[in-house]
Amino acid sequence: NAGVMQNPRHLVRRRGQEARLRCSPMKGHSHVYWYRQLPEEGLKFMVYLQKENIIDESGMPKERFSAEFPKEGPSILRIQQVVRGDSAAYFCASSRNGGRTEAFFGQGTRLTVV
Amino acid sequence: EDQVTQSPEALRLQEGESSSLNCSYTVSGLRGLFWYRQDPGKGPEFLFTLYSAGEEKEKERLKATLTKKESFLHITAPKPEDSATYLCAVQAVNTGNQFYFGTGTSLTVIP
């Protein structure tokens, strides 16, 4: 049973470009979380999705960031017009059920904005 | 305001020297407390889930315990391969399903 798959592992974008980060959850998991981790800081919640629905986006910046989890295919975190401050590691996690259930993390995508 | 505080920030142990990591939390209505291990450049690896005060979970040299205010991760006779950052996260009634993480304890075990 493959774990949570994230790609790409490393992504370099110039300021103003778009970044698309992909996450395929574990088999049988229909709940996906996105987190951001800055150097020397903890994991910060961004968004929680179920298939075709955004359940909680309270941690998502209001502009330039969006997320989706379509019926078919991976979850996508999209960052438009990237800025240097967007450079971070972005982690996706999935769980079988929403509440009171552990989530399993992918290896992350390291975004560098130059 | 919900808070998760981990201590110490960093810990250096000699191989075989047992110790404990602390995770204290102030949340309204704990739904679950989760321990993860994170190696440099990798994603967090799930270790334990605890739901209620008095609960304990064990795995190899690790044992996690939970009270109403805090959780401990006890490491017995650690080995160099136990070196990692250990993260604590909580789910609370008023924050829905999101996991609220502490900043972690960086553990180094010296041979």
Side-chain angles (χ1 to χ4, degrees):
Chain A
N1 189 8
V4 178
M5 303 300 292
Q6 289 189 249
N7 66 82
R9 290 294 310 276
H10 300 274
L11 182 62
V12 179
R13 284 288 177 265
R14 296 187 183 278
R15 281 178 294 171
Q17 290 186 320
E18 178 180 288
R20 281 188 177 231
L21 288 61
R22 293 174 181 77
C23 169
S24 296
M26 287 179 68
K27 186 176 180 180
H29 287 194
S30 59
H31 300 253
V32 165
Y33 306 79
W34 285 94
Y35 280 78
R36 177 163 62 179
Q37 188 173 43
L38 292 165
E40 308 305 321
E41 292 189 19
L43 286 157
K44 301 297 184 188
F45 169 79
M46 299 182 74
V47 63
Y48 163 54
L49 313 99
Q50 292 181 38
K51 281 286 187 181
E52 300 185 273
N53 292 302
I54 296 174
I55 305 302
D56 180 356
E57 56 182 350
S58 58
M60 195 89 103
K62 292 287 185 280
E63 297 179 353
R64 302 188 297 108
F65 285 73
S66 62
E68 63 177 14
F69 189 15
K71 186 176 180 181
E72 301 291 338
S75 176
I76 306 287
L77 180 67
R78 182 182 178 202
I79 311 172
Q80 295 178 291
Q81 300 172 354
V82 296
V83 301
R84 289 248 171 91
D86 296 332
S87 296
Y90 291 83
F91 291 97
C92 165
S94 73
S95 68
R96 186 175 299 277
N97 304 306
R100 307 187 82 214
T101 306
E102 57 271 8
F104 297 87
F105 282 79
Q107 295 302 302
T109 293
R110 277 145 190 86
L111 172 66
T112 302
V113 180
V114 298
Chain B
E1 181 181 307
D2 294 345
Q3 275 200 315
V4 177
T5 304
Q6 292 190 246
S7 62
E9 288 188 16
L11 181 63
R12 289 172 64 90
L13 298 173
Q14 290 292 137
E15 184 171 0
E17 180 187 0
S18 302
S19 188
S20 296
L21 313 182
N22 178 264
C23 170
S24 62
Y25 60 92
T26 53
V27 298
S28 300
L30 180 73
R31 301 178 74 191
L33 187 141
F34 305 83
W35 281 99
Y36 288 85
R37 166 194 171 129
Q38 187 174 26
D39 293 296
K42 300 281 185 69
E45 175 189 344
F46 170 73
L47 294 174
F48 302 110
T49 305
L50 301 165
Y51 292 113
S52 55
E55 191 174 359
E56 298 182 353
K57 294 273 180 73
E58 276 189 79
K59 178 181 177 182
E60 296 181 352
R61 295 178 293 282
L62 300 177
K63 178 180 175 181
T65 61
L66 181 65
T67 72
K68 288 186 178 180
K69 297 288 187 186
E70 59 193 346
S71 176
F72 291 94
L73 185 65
H74 307 278
I75 304 177
T76 302
K79 298 182 178 181
E81 52 263 41
D82 294 323
S83 298
T85 296
Y86 290 85
L87 300 169
C88 165
V90 300
Q91 275 187 338
V93 169
N94 63 338
T95 53
N97 291 332
Q98 65 171 276
F99 296 82
Y100 191 84
F101 279 85
T103 53
T105 293
S106 175
L107 173 66
T108 303
V109 181
I110 305 161

